[in-house]
Structure formats: structure tokens, C-alpha cells
Amino acid sequence: MADPVELVRRLCLRFPPRRSRVPSPQPRCLVRARLRLPGSVLSLRCRALDASKPSAVKGEPSEEYDDDEEPYFSVTSSRLSEVDYLGESTKGDLNVRRRHLDALGGNGQSTLHGPIEQIAWKEARQAETLLSDLGIADPLTVRNSPRGIFCTRTLNLRSISVIGYDMDYTLIHYNVMAWEGRAYDYGMANLKSMGFLVDDLEFDPDLVIRGLIMDKVKGNLVKADRFGYIKRVMHGTQMLPTRAVSEIYGRELVDLRKEDTWEFLNTLFSVSEAVMFMQMVDKLDQGLVPAELGPLDYKGLYNAVSKALFRAHVEGQLKSEIMAEPERFVEPDPELPLALLDQKEAGKRLLLITNSDYHYTNKMMNHAFNRFLPNDMGWRDLFEMVIVSARKPEFFQISHPLYEVVTDDGLLRPCFKANSGGLYSGGSAQMVEKSLDIHGDEILYVGDHIFTDVSQSKVHLRWRTALICRELEDEFDALIKSHAQKEKLVTLIQQKEIVGDLFNQLRLALQRRTNSRPAQTLAATCMNDQELTESMQKLLIVMQRLDEKIVPLLESDGELFNKRWGWLSRAGLWDKSHLTRQIEKYADIYTSRVSNFLHYTPFMYFRSQEQTLAHDVHSYSGDQ
């Protein structure tokens, strides 16, 4: 449930600024808001303070105020921040000034008198009513929806000073069929120019999903669980039976560090490449690769596909087509610019760090943002700093020369320091930290690529991270629709487990009797041979009939998301997929789109869910 103080603060920040009585070189704003709470009316004042000064935090302000103008709240600065009980920084938390504590019950004498548990329960109920009256969904309701933000590592958004964003498939979401379809077309055209026979092939986006892994040596596409065990395999465009999977990969685990063998599908940009490779594997198996191309194995074939797609991107034909008709390729999201505007107004410094060049970035951002921003704002007004041609993941590891983009046609000028409001090309993450005088967990970076965006910024810089995965919306809807089937499947499996437990006990009793030893219980010992045998036969028949129901339900589990590969997040009924393991390891939070932040607040405290263990007796996650 949303914190009422956060709601008040957000409302305060929405009011137009009022000039401070005492002139100051720092921009300041003193505003008032009146909010009617159930059963009472509170006049609340908030003040945007310079967090770098002691007066901005606990204690009294350095300037003179009349009693009716002094701000009630102060913001905790980095210098005075501590660590809360969940290990998060308290930087950015709102505090009630000491002289106002008595009025609010800080000394236990006023409307807040009584056991805090009872007070909190009452306030929580009133807050729920207020949120409902305002038409605002509380975070719990939003989280249990396709547009939720899901937390793997607790994150206090108030303590974040800077939020950096990737662009492609993060701030800009493309129509996958349109973008990847055209990438496929250009790639296939390049393969044809090399001499490959591809005229009969068509783009099939349902052939693959994000999180699969290409085996470049064997010509397979595989789905692995969190441990690296391979659960499903497609050779070419044909799914392999379970026995074949076991024979091929029974002794082998996926190890993404072996880049010569494995290629992880990190993002939706990988779709066209994987479809091309799988289709060309079929061609190679059928002997339809011209002999003049030389003897090719699967790895050589992958290299040819990769080269063909690389040419499509480098030669610029694809991006030129997208820039000419952005409305054909870009899916608009009117809520996205407003979500970033909330963050900016809350004092977050926003960055855009993209591998795309300046011309493409400017065109795409103009198309996706400017028409949805208020007061003639442009997309550049949202960002403290913009970095194009960043060359991620190297951007997070090493320093490249920094250039300033100085003209609208993209003219570059060498520079040695980045400044607020600048537009740059190249550089490094360390340069960003130095220029903004921040580092590590004060920065949240948001991107769609698990390796390039999320893992590298986490591993090398300890930035906080958020992963954008649009497919979550489709998976969430599919999970809802398949709930009844899943419930039926789990019930059947539980029934088989109970019957199987009894069968195993009788089998053990028979084993002991064969060796002239008593059974484990007196009742089992007293059963005659015929009773024991007939009971075991009956239980076997019951289990076999249960299997006839279970197997087709297991095979169809996840089909509503993808008929070949099942769920994005799971590998099998109970276990997590390799993709989910990567997300949990590197992404602090994950969600389907950036605009989902609009349904929370820039002051949200994201709390990770309870991680249950195999030996846990109780779960304390409550509504989770």
C-alpha cells in the first residue's frame, strides 16, 4: 500500500513554485497543499531543499521563517543518511521536523496516543480509503497485474539520485513483427547475395522466445533451467523428443562463459538472428547449401548468419527505413514521458545512455516523446545528460574518447569533461559518475539487455538495475487464463504422490518379507501375501491412470504463451528458467515497460518477496 506521506509529497511537488522570503542562489520552492484525510483536515507544507546542505536534513533550516511558513518536512541527505532495517540507504527519506513532532504525536500525547499497532492499522485502513477515493491503485494491486514492477532485491527509490535509461526496446518499444521482420528480410537478402538458397523462407516470430540459448556447435536452440540443465531442444525448426534431449545433453550443462558454443538470446533484437539460424540449419541438414560455399558446419553457418545481420545494421538500410516511417515500427506509449516527468520533478537526474547514433536517437525520441509532453517540452528537457554511440558493454568497463555533439546535423567536438545538460558521444560510465559526483548504488540503470545493460553495470559498477521485458505482459495474461488447468495438474500430481507413498511402503514391506524380516509397521507385517500383492496391483493401476491425465497436461503447460517453449520464466512445472535466474542475479527490479513507474511513485520502497527454502515450515510473505 502507498505511503500517505509519499502521496502528500508528490502532490506538493505538483504545485507551482512560490518565491522564498529570503533570496538564495539555490533554486527553492515553498508550497502548500491541503489534503482531506478521513476524520481530519491537515494543512501540510513541503519544501524542496538543497540536499547537499545541512539545513536540508534533520534539524532546523538556516533561514528565518514565520511559524506559519516553516516547512514541516526535511529530506535526508547523503551526508546524514544511514542504513535501515532492510539494509537500504535512508537517503531521500522525508522527515518531520523536530518542533512539529509534538503536534503529530511524536511524544505520545495527541491524536496518535495508544499502541502503535492499533494506530498503524487504523491509518492503513484510512489510507486505503483515500487511495480508492482518489482513484489510485495501491502498489500491491498494481504488482499483481501485467503492469506490475517486480522486486528481486530490495530497492529504496528515494535513495536513488540518478536514473539512466537505454533507448531501444526500453524507452522506445518496437513492433517486433515489423522491426525484426525487416531485420530478417535484410539479413536474408545478404545471405542470398552470399549464395545461400533462401527464397522459400519466411519470418516466424513464434519460433523462438527471449531467454533461449543457441548451441552454435550442434545447430540447436535449447531451453535450460536455472542450474543449466537443458529441458527442451529444437534442432533446426523441429522440436526433439525427451529421450533425444537426454541423449544429447545428459552430461552437459549450459555455461554462458563458453562463448564459442553458447549464444544467449538476451533481448528481442535476438529474435531475427535465431529464426534465421534455425531455418538455415534445416537447409544444411537437407543438403541445400551450395557446394561452392565450401564445407560448412553449424558454427560456420552461424557465423554466416551473424555476418549477414551485422551488414544489415551497419549499412544503415534498416534504420533509414525506420526513420522514414517511425509510426510503422514504434508502438506509442503516452504514459512513458509522464512517468519520466514525475521522476524529474521529484529531483531525480535522468540520463539517456544508448548505443544508437545521434541522428537515429533524436528521430526516435522526437517521435515517441514530444507529442506527449506538456508545455512545449522536448525530450531533451527531461534528461540531465544524453550519451549516444555509447558502445555498451565496453562503456561500463573501459574509457573511450568523449565527444560533444555540437550541431543538429551531428557534428562532433572532442572534450574532456561532461557537463549537466550536455549531449555527448562515447565516453564511459566512470566519466558519468565523476561529472555528476555520484557513484554505485545512487544510480539506477534501466535497460532491456540482460548482459549489455543490466549485468555489466551491476558487476563492474554496482549500479542498481532494472530490466525491461515486454513479454511479461503476455505471460501474466497467459498465467491467469491457465490457472484452472494448472490447479488441476497440481492436484493430480499431489494425488499420485500420496498413492505413490503408500505403494512404496507396501513395496518395502514385500522386500523385507522376501528377506524374512518384519515390515516397518505391525499392520503391514500382518498382511498376507495376497493382500499385499493385490493392494500393490491396485495402486499401480491408479498411478498409471493418473499418468494418462498428467502427461498431456504437463506437455501443454505454458502453451498459451508459446506452443514450442512454454513459459518465459519457467523450465518445467516447478523450476525457474535460465532467463529467470539471470534476472534474479542481476536485476534489482523488473517490469514490462518503463511507463509502469507511473503507477507507483518516485518515492517507492520496493521490497523483495520472501525467498522460501525447501525446509521452511511456514511462509510469512502474507499477501505475496
Side-chain angles (χ1 to χ4, degrees):
M1 185 179 65
D3 185 343
V5 174
E6 293 180 4
L7 177 60
V8 171
R9 183 179 178 185
R10 185 175 179 184
L11 291 173
C12 291
L13 290 169
R14 282 295 192 184
F15 279 76
R18 171 184 171 186
R19 182 177 299 171
S20 172
R21 295 182 62 202
V22 180
S24 169
Q26 296 292 333
R28 297 177 180 276
C29 151
L30 180 63
V31 296
R32 297 183 182 184
R34 185 173 296 272
L35 180 65
R36 184 172 299 277
L37 293 171
S40 66
V41 177
L42 298 177
S43 180
L44 300 175
R45 289 188 294 275
C46 10
R47 189 176 188 298
L49 300 169
D50 179 3
S52 67
K53 295 186 177 181
S55 63
V57 287
K58 301 171 184 176
E60 302 302 320
S62 61
E63 300 166 328
E64 296 295 331
Y65 295 93
D66 292 339
D67 287 342
D68 66 338
E69 287 192 334
E70 182 190 30
Y72 280 128
F73 302 122
S74 63
V75 181
T76 304
S77 71
S78 297
R79 186 176 61 83
L80 295 180
S81 65
E82 299 175 352
V83 176
D84 69 13
Y85 59 89
L86 290 179
E88 287 292 313
S89 170
T90 61
K91 175 183 175 293
D93 285 358
L94 212 59
N95 308 286
V96 178
R97 291 189 180 275
R98 185 172 300 279
R99 66 179 298 172
H100 300 296
L101 285 177
D102 289 349
L104 293 176
N107 61 356
Q109 298 176 359
S110 71
T111 56
L112 298 184
H113 179 66
I116 189 60
E117 295 86 354
Q118 295 179 12
I119 295 171
W121 180 257
K122 179 181 178 181
E123 292 296 323
R125 285 298 185 92
Q126 291 179 343
E128 286 179 342
T129 301
L130 176 61
L131 286 169
S132 178
D133 291 344
L134 294 175
I136 299 173
D138 66 89
L140 176 61
T141 301
V142 176
R143 190 187 69 204
N144 292 325
S145 75
R147 300 292 298 275
I149 296 179
F150 309 100
C151 182
T152 61
R153 180 190 171 205
T154 299
L155 172 64
N156 182 3
L157 203 56
R158 299 187 288 273
S159 69
I160 297 296
S161 301
V162 174
I163 304 179
Y165 287 100
D166 175 45
M167 186 180 74
D168 297 309
Y169 279 123
T170 300
L171 293 181
I172 306 291
H173 184 74
Y174 300 101
N175 180 301
V176 177
M177 188 64 187
W179 167 280
E180 295 303 321
R182 290 304 288 155
Y184 172 92
D185 292 340
Y186 282 115
M188 283 301 189
N190 288 333
L191 283 179
K192 183 176 181 180
S193 69
M194 296 178 194
F196 289 94
L197 306 176
V198 298
D199 286 339
D200 59 327
L201 298 178
E202 295 181 355
F203 180 56
D204 180 6
D206 294 326
L207 196 65
V208 304
I209 60 175
R210 187 204 301 244
L212 300 178
I213 305 145
M214 284 187 283
D215 182 341
K216 296 180 283 189
V217 175
K218 296 183 175 71
N220 294 334
L221 192 62
V222 308
K223 184 176 186 180
D225 67 13
R226 57 180 166 151
F227 304 109
Y229 289 96
I230 294 170
K231 299 297 184 179
R232 297 192 187 190
V233 175
M234 183 168 71
H235 181 75
T237 59
Q238 300 299 314
M239 299 300 296
L240 300 184
T242 303
R243 177 181 288 275
V245 173
S246 178
E247 291 174 352
I248 297 171
Y249 292 108
R251 296 177 179 270
E252 189 170 7
L253 297 178
V254 168
D255 184 353
L256 297 179
R257 293 171 297 182
K258 297 180 179 178
E259 297 180 358
D260 288 342
T261 300
W262 308 108
E263 185 72 23
F264 191 64
L265 306 190
N266 282 290
T267 177
L268 289 171
F269 278 131
S270 305
V271 170
S272 51
E273 181 181 48
V275 172
M276 288 175 63
F277 181 48
M278 290 299 103
Q279 291 177 339
M280 295 309 297
V281 166
D282 283 345
K283 291 284 187 181
L284 184 61
D285 290 344
Q286 295 163 9
L288 298 178
V289 173
E292 56 268 23
L293 292 175
L296 281 177
D297 57 10
Y298 296 122
K299 193 170 182 180
L301 189 64
Y302 171 81
N303 291 335
V305 168
S306 182
K307 180 180 179 181
L309 263 179
F310 181 75
R311 280 181 53 194
H313 288 284
V314 169
E315 292 170 357
Q317 296 170 301
L318 177 58
K319 286 194 172 181
S320 296
E321 186 174 340
I322 295 170
M323 290 171 67
E325 296 182 275
E327 64 281 354
R328 177 181 160 200
F329 295 93
V330 176
E331 294 186 0
D333 189 346
E335 294 181 333
L336 174 56
L338 302 181
L340 268 61
L341 189 58
D342 272 347
Q343 294 172 355
K344 180 179 177 64
E345 292 175 347
K348 312 297 183 188
R349 291 182 284 177
L350 305 185
L351 311 178
L352 176 61
I353 305 174
T354 174
N355 282 354
S356 293
D357 61 66
Y358 167 70
H359 295 290
Y360 184 79
T361 299
N362 189 46
K363 181 71 174 182
M364 292 297 100
M365 294 295 289
N366 275 331
H367 173 78
F369 274 71
N370 288 6
R371 53 185 162 155
F372 301 123
L373 286 168
N375 304 325
D376 297 321
M377 286 183 66
W379 69 269
R380 286 283 307 278
D381 297 321
L382 289 171
F383 296 96
E384 180 96 357
M385 188 183 297
V386 175
I387 301 174
V388 300
S389 303
R391 298 176 66 177
K392 297 177 292 182
E394 292 180 3
F395 179 83
F396 297 113
Q397 304 169 21
I398 60 178
S399 293
H400 288 291
L402 179 67
Y403 299 90
E404 184 179 8
V405 182
V406 293
T407 63
D408 289 339
D409 59 0
L411 180 66
L412 301 179
R413 177 175 62 196
C415 62
F416 301 98
K417 181 181 178 182
N419 297 307
S420 176
L423 171 60
Y424 302 98
S425 175
S428 68
Q430 291 84 355
M431 172 272 298
V432 171
E433 291 185 334
K434 184 177 180 180
S435 63
L436 299 177
D437 193 26
I438 54 171
H439 66 280
D441 59 6
E442 291 183 274
I443 306 174
L444 173 68
Y445 190 68
V446 186
D448 72 297
H449 198 293
I450 292 176
F451 179 74
T452 298
D453 295 321
V454 176
S455 75
Q456 295 305 290
S457 60
K458 171 72 69 180
V459 169
H460 293 284
L461 300 163
R462 293 296 183 265
W463 287 7
R464 307 306 299 270
T465 52
L467 180 76
I468 301 301
C469 183
R470 182 61 72 97
E471 306 97 299
L472 284 172
E473 294 180 16
D474 291 336
E475 173 153 301
F476 197 100
D477 289 336
L479 284 168
I480 297 298
K481 293 176 182 177
S482 64
H483 178 74
Q485 176 179 315
K486 182 72 168 284
E487 198 171 48
K488 179 180 178 180
L489 174 58
V490 171
T491 299
L492 290 171
I493 290 175
Q494 290 173 341
Q495 290 174 345
K496 184 182 177 182
E497 286 178 347
I498 295 171
V499 173
D501 285 343
L502 176 57
F503 176 82
N504 291 337
Q505 292 294 334
L506 296 181
R507 182 177 180 180
L508 179 59
L510 181 61
Q511 174 183 303
R512 289 188 178 186
R513 180 172 299 184
T514 303
N515 291 281
S516 302
R517 292 195 299 117
Q520 58 274 34
T521 66
L522 180 61
T525 303
C526 294
M527 293 179 69
N528 60 44
D529 290 349
Q530 184 175 357
E531 289 177 321
L532 195 57
T533 302
E534 289 179 353
S535 296
M536 291 176 63
Q537 290 175 341
K538 177 183 176 181
L539 293 174
L540 270 177
I541 293 172
V542 170
M543 287 190 290
Q544 289 171 355
R545 294 187 62 183
L546 283 171
D547 282 341
E548 293 172 1
K549 297 282 187 179
I550 291 171
V551 170
L553 288 175
L554 271 176
E555 290 177 344
S556 63
D557 185 47
E559 278 190 354
L560 287 177
F561 181 76
N562 187 279
K563 291 185 178 299
R564 292 180 178 88
W565 301 105
W567 303 115
L568 182 80
S569 58
R570 294 197 174 275
L573 182 62
W574 305 118
D575 213 349
K576 299 172 183 177
S577 66
H578 212 61
L579 172 69
T580 299
R581 172 61 182 136
Q582 297 292 308
I583 293 174
E584 289 182 335
K585 186 174 182 180
Y586 297 115
D588 298 314
I589 56 177
Y590 63 98
T591 189
S592 63
R593 58 180 84 188
V594 172
S595 59
N596 293 344
F597 279 103
L598 191 64
H599 305 295
Y600 294 79
T601 74
F603 322 108
M604 182 68 189
Y605 196 117
F606 292 103
R607 177 174 57 87
S608 61
Q609 299 186 35
E610 176 188 2
Q611 303 298 301
T612 57
L613 304 175
H615 65 275
D616 281 338
V617 179
H618 299 289
S619 173
Y620 299 96
S621 55
D623 50 32
Q624 299 184 19

